[in-house]
């Protein structure tokens, strides 16, 4: 087995401003939404086992296996539009959502030291570089984009991954996937299952800690007469006679943990190791070791403080066991004693595990099947459950484009089809399943077409509209004559044209007069005296049409004369008061009249 080369000097920071939120590196880096999976970090490739193997070597039953980086979300201070920062200086390039294979908009930074970082799912705005093939020099901590939800993602977060140029050719495209590394390194007692240096490894690159802000393990010498180790939040008190030789005591920070769905870390865990003067690991002591954890900086908004206790991990049963804990809520400290060194965590009971809900209100003049004929106002009213920790925000995307924070009602005034996908998040990172509303706006009012239907041997009225118009014939209550009618033409949005039609049907002719038109609820438009007249030779028959003409104020505008023997139609129009034969066509040409914004047109 080759001897691993010494690791590089750490050079990375986390890719957002967590310090301004009052958080330490360990507060956020050791509590990600998703971990780097050392079992097989191939990003969404089905494989292996259901568990995720994290940098400590521990297997965790988590929802996201085969993950090639770290996801940071709301619990880390990362929400939609949070500025994403360059983790180190370098040369930035861009990969668009169309070409990234589900990673959304991606910025990649070559740090010119054999490593490259990736920042995935970025929003489309404020990108430091947004053209593929273009390079931009960036400095550590510079804003390179904003947190978005592009690509395959169920919520806003930063996906951060690191790649090694394994063949030192200054190109990273040929290092995927085996160049992917865990920037927290590998600290498991057994060899890394991803590294090519381990027996049975997956040919992956060896991982080293690459973060500059990560706290180093704290060590001290404990005499047989006892002593103390103090490190930031943790104090370890070893009494006189706890062990009969000098001990080298080491404390190192560990990840946030969960004893169950309901009991979770309120701060990062810690590992305690003791080595005696013979170099042997000591796990069992003669007298209890006192542990004190200062949780004053812990975020307890979703934790029942009264339930806070210290826990120890039982490696034989792979379970977390509660320690008898004294809680000092005034000084925000927890005390416990142990005879055994292992991993320890301070945990509390989760208050809120229920996702918020969103009520939608759509205002507008509605027709059928989600069709509207007016401007639309959409309200997305997110609400957390009673007793919950509070709503973080409601997010929405229009027609599967970028996501936005809902802040005020959405107004739609253009015709078209719309799809809104939305979901609400609370401050405990409980999130509603995405929901969808779809609607269509059609403000165009139908028009009418009147012509001879040869099969029906009668004049008929049809609607002109792309939105499935229907025609309904009603008795004319104004004229109260037998053959008079009102035709109501309506589309799916409820846009309506009403024609007051005065008809007179006889054995040898049909006659129709459009008396008035009304569009929706607008005022009536009364029309001048107009007539569509159809004469027949003998009884009505679709082959016996003799003459069709349209008149306005008794002036013939167009006449079509049909010669059944020659099977020809002669079309005559009146121009400047003079009849003019426009053309002669073979066959029976049918005249039709149409409405257009309150006027009547004719064509054939």
């Amino acid at each position: 087995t080759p001897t691993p080369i010494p690791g590089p000097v750490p050079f990375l920071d986390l890719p957002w401003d967590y310090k301004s939120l009052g958080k330490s590196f360990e507060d956020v880096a050791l509590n990600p939404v998703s971990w780097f999976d050392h079992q097989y970090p191939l990003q969404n490739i089905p494989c292996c086992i259901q568990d995720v193997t994290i940098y400590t070597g521990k297997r965790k039953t988590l929802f996201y296996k085969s993950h090639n980086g770290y996801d940071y979300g709301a619990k880390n201070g990362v929400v939609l539009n949070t500025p994403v920062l360059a983790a180190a200086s370098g040369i930035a390039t861009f990969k668009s959502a169309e070409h990234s294979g589900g990673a959304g908009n991606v910025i990649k930074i070559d740090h010119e030291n054999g490593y490259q970082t990736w920042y995935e799912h970025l929003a489309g705005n404020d990108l430091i570089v947004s053209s593929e093939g273009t390079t931009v020099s960036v400095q550590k901590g510079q804003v390179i984009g904003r947190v978005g939800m592009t690509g395959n993602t169920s919520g806003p977060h930063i996906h951060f991954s690191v790649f090694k140029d394994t063949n030192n050719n200054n190109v990273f495209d040929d290092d995927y996937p085996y160049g992917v590394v865990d920037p927290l390194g590998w600290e498991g007692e057994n060899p890394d299952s991803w590294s090519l240096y381990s027996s049975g490894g997956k040919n992956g690159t060896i991982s080293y800690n690459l973060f500059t802000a990560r706290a180093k393990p704290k060590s001290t010498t404990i005499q047989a007469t006892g002593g103390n180790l103090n490190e930031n939040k943790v104090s370890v008190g070893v009494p006189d006679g706890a062990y009969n030789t000098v001990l080298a005591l080491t404390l190192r920070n560990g990840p946030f943990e969960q004893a169950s769905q309901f009991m979770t870390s309120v701060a990062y865990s810690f590992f305690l190791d003791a080595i005696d003067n013979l170099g042997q690991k000591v796990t069992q002591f003669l007298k209890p070791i006192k542990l004190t954890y200062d949780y004053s900086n812990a975020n307890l908004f979703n934790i029942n403080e009264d339930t806070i206790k210290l826990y120890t991990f039982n490696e034989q049963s792979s379970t977390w066991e509660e320690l008898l804990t004294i809680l000092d809520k005034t000084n925000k400290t927890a005390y416990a004693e142990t005879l055994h060194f292992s991993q320890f965590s301070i945990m509390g009971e989760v208050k809120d595990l229920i996702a918020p809900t969103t009520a939608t209100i759509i205002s507008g003049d509605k027709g059928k099947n989600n069709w509207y004929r007016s401007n639309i106002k959409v309200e997305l009213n997110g609400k957390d459950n009673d007793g919950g920790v509070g709503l973080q925000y409601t997010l929405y995307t229009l027609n599967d484009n970028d996501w936005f924070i809902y802040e005020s009602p959405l107004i739609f005034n253009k015709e078209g089809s719309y799809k809104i996908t939305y979901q609400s998040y609370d401050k405990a990172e409980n999130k509603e399943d995405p929901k969808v509303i779809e609607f269509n706006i059609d403000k165009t009012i139908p028009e009418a077409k009147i012509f001879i239907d040869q099969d029906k041997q009668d004049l008929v009225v049809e609607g002109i509209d792309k939105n499935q118009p229907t025609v309904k014939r009603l008795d004319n209550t104004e004229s109260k004559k037998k053959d008079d009618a009102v035709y109501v033409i309506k589309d799916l949005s409820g846009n309506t044209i009403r024609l007051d039609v005065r008809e007179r049907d006889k054995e040898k002719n049909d006659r129709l007069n459009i008396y008035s038109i009304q569009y929706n609820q607008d005022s009536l438009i009364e029309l001048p005296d107009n007539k569509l007249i159809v004469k027949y030779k003998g009884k009505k028959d679709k082959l016996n049409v003799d003459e069709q003409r349209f008149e306005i104020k008794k002036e013939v505008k167009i006449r079509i004369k049909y010669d059944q023997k020659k099977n020809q139609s002669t079309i005559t129009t009146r121009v400047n008061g003079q009849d003019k034969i426009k053309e002669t066509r073979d066959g029976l040409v049918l005249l039709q009249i149409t409405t257009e914004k309150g006027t009547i047109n004719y064509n054939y």
Side-chain angles (χ1 to χ4, degrees):
T1 301
T3 301
I5 60 174
V9 175
F11 64 99
L12 296 176
D13 201 350
L14 291 168
W16 77 101
D17 186 9
Y18 59 92
K19 295 176 184 177
S20 68
L21 304 174
K23 297 178 180 291
S24 70
F25 175 88
E26 283 74 17
D27 288 333
V28 290
L30 301 182
N31 190 27
V33 176
S34 296
W35 296 87
F36 180 99
D37 184 4
H38 285 260
Q39 184 64 25
Y40 227 131
L42 295 181
Q43 191 62 23
N44 303 320
I45 303 298
C47 70
C48 334
I49 58 176
Q50 293 299 316
D51 292 343
V52 172
T53 303
I54 70 169
Y55 78 100
T56 62
K58 181 184 291 187
R59 288 183 177 179
K60 291 176 173 286
T61 303
L62 301 173
F63 72 96
Y64 204 168
K65 61 185 178 119
S66 305
H67 196 229
N68 73 353
Y70 284 90
D71 288 346
Y72 305 106
K75 66 181 179 182
N76 311 116
V78 174
V79 295
L80 191 71
N81 296 326
T82 294
V84 179
L85 312 180
S89 301
I91 305 299
T93 56
F94 173 70
K95 181 73 73 174
S96 69
E98 291 77 14
H99 301 139
S100 67
N105 295 319
V106 181
I107 295 290
K108 300 180 180 181
I109 302 178
D110 180 354
H111 300 289
E112 301 181 290
N113 62 354
Y115 285 95
Q116 183 183 63
T117 50
W118 291 19
Y119 312 76
E120 301 182 6
H121 308 298
L122 299 175
N125 58 309
D126 295 337
L127 292 164
I128 191 71
V129 55
S130 58
S131 176
E132 294 184 357
T134 301
T135 61
V136 174
S137 178
V138 298
Q139 299 300 310
K140 185 173 185 176
Q142 184 176 354
V143 176
I144 60 171
R146 292 188 179 272
V147 172
M149 285 180 66
T150 56
N152 299 333
T153 175
S154 60
H157 68 278
I158 297 174
H159 175 106
F160 178 71
S161 53
V162 184
F163 286 83
K164 179 78 171 69
D165 181 9
T166 57
N167 54 12
N168 299 312
N169 65 351
N170 296 318
V171 176
F172 289 90
D173 291 343
D174 58 356
D175 297 300
Y176 186 87
Y178 296 105
V180 65
V181 296
D182 184 349
L184 285 178
W186 175 256
E187 297 179 1
E189 292 185 1
N190 297 317
D192 183 359
S193 58
W194 172 238
S195 171
L196 61 90
Y197 293 110
S198 65
S199 176
K202 308 298 191 306
N203 205 41
T205 302
I206 190 169
S207 295
Y208 301 98
N209 172 59
L210 301 178
F211 289 113
T212 57
R214 189 174 177 192
K216 295 181 179 179
K218 181 71 174 291
S219 297
T220 190
T221 299
I222 303 294
Q223 302 295 328
T225 54
N228 295 283
L229 184 151
N230 299 309
E231 192 281 329
N232 194 9
K233 300 177 181 180
V234 182
S235 296
V236 182
V238 181
D240 182 10
Y243 202 70
N244 53 17
T245 67
V246 174
L247 296 176
L249 182 61
T250 300
L251 182 150
R252 56 188 173 92
N253 298 322
F256 283 62
E257 301 285 358
Q258 279 188 311
S260 69
Q261 178 186 7
F262 307 99
M263 191 64 64
T264 189
S265 291
V266 302
Y268 51 83
S269 66
F270 59 97
F271 295 88
L272 288 177
D273 292 295
I275 304 296
D276 65 18
N277 56 2
L278 298 177
Q280 299 297 312
K281 186 173 182 178
V282 178
T283 59
Q284 201 71 26
F285 295 89
L286 301 174
K287 291 183 179 180
I289 309 297
K290 185 176 181 180
L291 306 177
T292 305
Y293 204 114
D294 176 0
Y295 66 91
S296 57
N297 292 327
N299 190 344
L300 303 181
F301 75 94
N302 194 32
I303 297 293
N304 182 349
E305 186 176 4
D306 291 334
T307 67
I308 288 178
K309 293 180 177 65
L310 281 162
Y311 283 74
T312 182
F313 187 70
N314 187 322
E315 296 176 358
Q316 292 182 342
S317 63
S318 295
T319 58
W320 285 96
E321 296 178 349
E322 176 185 325
L323 294 175
L324 180 62
T325 304
I326 299 174
L327 193 65
D328 181 351
K329 292 169 61 176
T330 302
N331 295 304
K332 304 298 182 185
T333 52
Y335 306 89
E337 293 181 339
T338 181
L339 290 168
H340 180 79
F341 273 4
S342 177
Q343 182 184 7
F344 299 89
S345 180
I346 183 169
M347 300 190 190
E349 185 179 286
V350 178
K351 291 180 182 177
D352 183 6
L353 289 169
I354 301 174
T357 56
T358 308
T360 58
I361 301 175
I362 304 178
S363 304
D365 297 331
K366 187 178 182 181
K368 296 180 178 179
N369 301 331
N370 295 321
W371 282 89
Y372 291 81
R373 58 185 177 274
S374 65
N375 293 348
I376 297 296
K377 180 172 76 171
V378 177
E379 298 174 71
L380 304 175
N381 298 320
K383 180 182 179 182
D384 200 14
N385 59 291
D386 292 340
V389 297
L391 189 73
Q392 177 75 40
Y393 45 37
T394 299
L395 304 183
Y396 72 93
T397 175
L398 178 61
N399 296 334
D400 297 323
N401 293 312
D402 272 354
W403 287 77
F404 298 93
I405 298 173
Y406 175 81
E407 296 176 324
S408 59
L410 310 176
I411 305 298
F412 301 89
N413 51 30
K414 293 184 179 180
E415 292 188 324
S417 296
Y418 298 91
K419 172 185 174 184
I420 299 175
T421 305
Y422 62 93
Q423 59 186 144
S424 289
Y425 298 72
D426 69 15
K427 295 177 180 178
E429 289 205 320
N430 300 307
K431 61 186 177 183
E432 179 182 29
D433 290 335
K435 292 183 171 56
V436 176
I437 54 174
E438 296 185 76
F439 56 89
N440 309 277
I441 298 177
D442 176 14
K443 300 179 182 179
T444 303
I445 304 173
E447 298 288 358
K449 177 173 67 175
I450 303 170
F451 62 98
I452 303 168
D453 187 316
Q454 289 182 273
D455 291 327
K456 294 182 179 179
Q457 299 175 30
D458 200 0
L459 289 171
V460 297
V461 178
E462 286 188 354
I464 303 174
D465 195 280
K466 61 184 178 181
N467 190 5
Q468 302 179 34
T470 59
V471 181
K472 189 174 183 179
R473 186 184 189 279
L474 306 173
D475 292 336
N476 195 316
T477 57
E478 291 293 325
S479 70
K480 299 181 181 179
K481 293 182 179 180
K482 174 184 176 183
D483 293 321
D484 293 351
V486 173
Y487 288 90
V488 179
I489 303 172
K490 182 181 291 187
D491 64 17
L492 288 176
S493 295
N495 293 304
T496 303
I497 178 175
R498 295 172 59 92
L499 301 179
D500 183 340
V501 173
R502 311 291 167 97
E503 300 178 275
R504 190 173 73 182
D505 292 336
K506 288 193 173 182
E507 189 70 21
K508 293 187 177 182
N509 67 63
D510 290 326
R511 180 173 297 185
L512 181 146
N513 163 236
I514 301 178
Y515 184 78
S516 67
I517 298 175
Q518 183 181 26
Y519 293 99
N520 286 341
Q521 302 301 317
D522 296 343
S523 300
L524 281 176
I525 301 172
E526 294 185 353
L527 297 171
D529 181 26
N530 62 84
K531 291 182 178 67
L532 174 61
I533 301 170
V534 181
K535 292 185 176 182
Y536 300 90
K537 285 184 176 180
K539 294 182 178 181
K540 285 184 181 180
D541 187 283
K542 63 181 180 180
L543 297 178
N544 284 349
V545 176
D546 178 40
E547 181 184 79
Q548 309 161 72
R549 69 176 185 267
F550 178 62
E551 301 176 358
I552 294 180
K553 294 182 178 179
K554 299 182 180 180
E555 179 181 1
V556 176
K557 295 297 183 180
I558 184 170
R559 176 186 289 112
I560 300 178
K561 184 75 173 178
Y562 178 60
D563 188 330
Q564 188 173 351
K565 291 182 179 180
K566 294 182 180 180
N567 191 27
Q568 286 183 332
S569 297
T570 301
I571 303 163
T572 303
T573 59
R574 174 155 289 222
V575 179
N576 298 324
Q578 300 294 321
D579 289 345
K580 179 179 180 181
I581 297 176
K582 188 171 184 179
E583 60 180 309
T584 300
R585 290 186 183 180
D586 292 334
L588 173 62
V589 175
L590 297 178
L591 175 64
Q592 64 183 24
I593 61 173
T594 57
T595 61
E596 183 181 8
K597 299 179 179 178
T599 62
I600 303 176
N601 300 321
Y602 60 83
N603 52 67
Y604 53 90

